[in-house]
Amino acid sequence: MRLRALLDTDALGLKLLGGEDELDRTVRGVMTTDLRDPSRYLSGGELVLTGLAWRRDAADSEPFVRLLVQSGVVALAAGEAELGDVPDDLVLACAQHRLPLFAVHESVAFATITEHVVRQVSGERAGDLAAVVDRHRRMMTSGPAGGGPDVVLDLLGSDLDLRAWVLSPTGRLIAGSKAAGPALPADVCANLAAEHLAATRSGRRGPHRTALGSTPYALFPVRSSGRAPQAARDMRETVLSEWLLAVEADAGDWPEERLDLLQGVTQLIAVERDRRDAARTVRRRLAQEVLELVQTGAAPAEIAARLRVAAPVLLPGLGAAPHWQVVVARVEWEGEDLETGPIAQSLLEEVLVDPLATGPEPSDRIAVAHTGDEAIALVPLPAVSAEHDGSEAGIHADALLDSIRSPLSAGLDDDGRVTLGVSAAVHSAEGLRGALEEARHARRVAAARTGRVCAAGHQELASHVLLLPFVPDDVRRAFTARLLDPLRDYDRRHRAELIPTLEAFLECDGSWTRCATRLHLHVNTLRYRVGRIEQLTSRDLSRLEDKLDFFLALRMS
């Protein structure tokens, strides 16, 4: 489509600010961005939409416009929602580089312009394939007639014979076409998500091509088409929460028209994703209100009243007040100082999903707030599932960690870290403050461990495990060296296996018979080894205090 056709569509709310002589340029695509340098995501021919979050002062406009022109962008449309009138320095920069500039009225969403351009461009460039995109658009409307991502993928299968799936950044299967057959195995989904995150962090432009065994896949990023998510100035702000479209095909020999069409499909899916994100506004506000009440020491009755409001929103049709669980997350990046609270919030909204449910909607049961660099999730549990033992219900730290560690580690690369803490389930407003502190303590335990993605649960807070990570390194080294170095030296010289003997003796609670049987030793041989341990360390393994010291030394070594 040509640029002047955009001005003829009143619903788009565009006003021309410069470049009247260039309106016969042809638009091949559309991209929403607020990156300071979006060139690696541009292939030429795009209409670029921006909310101007990249602009810090007037000097930023000319470099930004110059990069767009060098990348082959045909026009720029700047939103008026954030700064009001488009700045004069941007108007001058576009005039200098002969780049047409439009102003987007604050009442018009970028998603509206994106959808219009995708529909028009696909129709003009892909011939009969345009009907597919148009059918996608119509089927993805909200309400009873809407089909969501599943219908989009069904049409890809029926019209283009493509097997495709929409995945979360942790590899959760959000949608899949009927033509794709059985759902992708969980390990395949996780591997595809990891490949996508690793490629994104390396700066490679999508689609990313990969193969699992003999099966090729093309991985298309599903980037938000809305204003708020695209205000990111660094890919690390969105890489852990963006969806991806996985297509079972080798896109290396695809014609340009088919690539354009699939890019258009991702933009249509992004519109649906933005709609679902917008629906989280109420849940986020509920979580923020509850969090503020808890942290300011509000009366339990006031907190309980707010929870009664939240319960029917998160668990519609629930007859009784649910139990609640709290999950705390923190995302840390090395180098540039990023605001990581919203990053952790988006991440928790993606990963805290009922494992027995499918599709994107179960995340609507999670209310997540953020404060500072920390995200806090309020997770409702139906009382029937938590009535026997809260520690057995709901989210478990180990299971949560297993489901997200591999993909997220690829997205974190070597400069990021995610730590999570999970509380026990509580059944009243009185318990919520304790659950929040419990989850925070658990997260600090997780942060003291090694690894890019770590989690800890409330079970670990009633154990020595809580204390050991916080012992200073110099104290740890001195304590373990004093008790264990004499035994290690002796083992090196004599191959006496005193350290393994000590470990087994403690694990057998000091039982001579059980320990000898476990080590396949005669009891007298075991007594000789234990005597040698006591002689070398000047300790008595019949005393509880000395047993405890050895136990802790082994745990810290």
Side-chain angles (χ1 to χ4, degrees), residues 178-334:
K178 295 176 183 176
L184 281 180
D187 60 331
V188 173
C189 292
N191 287 335
L192 291 176
E195 290 281 349
H196 168 72
L197 290 175
T200 301
R201 286 304 313 277
S202 70
R204 302 206 309 266
R205 183 180 297 173
H208 311 305
R209 296 165 58 198
T210 188
L212 297 182
S214 59
T215 305
Y217 293 93
L219 309 177
F220 294 80
V222 178
R223 296 197 168 92
S224 173
S225 62
R227 296 174 188 268
Q230 286 299 331
R233 293 181 293 274
D234 190 310
M235 73 168 66
R236 293 176 296 181
E237 295 184 28
T238 56
V239 67
L240 300 182
S241 57
E242 288 180 341
W243 291 355
L244 67 137
L245 173 66
V247 181
E248 187 181 299
D250 185 351
D253 58 355
W254 277 8
E256 188 175 345
E257 288 80 5
R258 177 159 287 201
L259 284 172
D260 284 348
L261 184 66
L262 265 293
Q263 294 289 2
V265 169
T266 66
Q267 291 173 338
L268 290 174
I269 295 175
V271 171
E272 174 70 5
R273 168 69 189 273
D274 290 341
R275 184 184 69 81
R276 298 174 192 271
D277 283 347
R280 289 173 172 166
T281 302
V282 173
R283 298 186 296 278
R284 286 180 171 182
R285 187 172 66 248
L286 286 172
Q288 199 71 45
E289 291 174 354
V290 172
L291 175 62
E292 289 174 1
L293 290 173
V294 170
Q295 294 192 132
T296 56
E302 188 177 358
I303 299 174
R306 181 51 53 188
L307 289 177
R308 283 194 295 272
V309 173
V313 174
L314 302 177
L315 285 177
L318 192 67
H323 290 218
W324 299 94
Q325 213 171 354
V326 175
V327 180
V328 172
R330 185 166 183 159
V331 177
E332 298 171 282
W333 296 107
E334 298 173 7

Side-chain angles (χ1 to χ4, degrees), residues 17-39:
L17 300 181
E20 184 174 0
D21 295 336
E22 306 293 332
L23 292 181
D24 285 326
R25 293 184 180 186
T26 300
V27 180
R28 296 179 56 250
V30 62
M31 177 186 179
T32 301
T33 185
D34 274 306
L35 294 171
R36 294 173 67 83
D37 179 7
S39 56

Side-chain angles (χ1 to χ4, degrees), residues 9 13 33 42 54 149 213 230 251 254 269 273 276 284 286-287 322 349-350 393 400 414 499 512 532 550:
T9 307
T33 185
L42 297 167
W54 50 266
Q230 286 299 331
W254 277 8
I269 295 175
R273 168 69 189 273
R276 298 174 192 271
R284 286 180 171 182
L286 286 172
E349 288 172 336
E350 284 299 320
L400 181 62
D414 60 356
I499 292 289
W512 297 99
R532 179 63 67 185
F550 277 121

Side-chain angles (χ1 to χ4, degrees), residues 533-540 546:
I533 291 171
E534 293 175 333
Q535 179 185 14
L536 291 170
T537 60
S538 299
R539 297 297 185 108
D540 183 354
D546 289 342

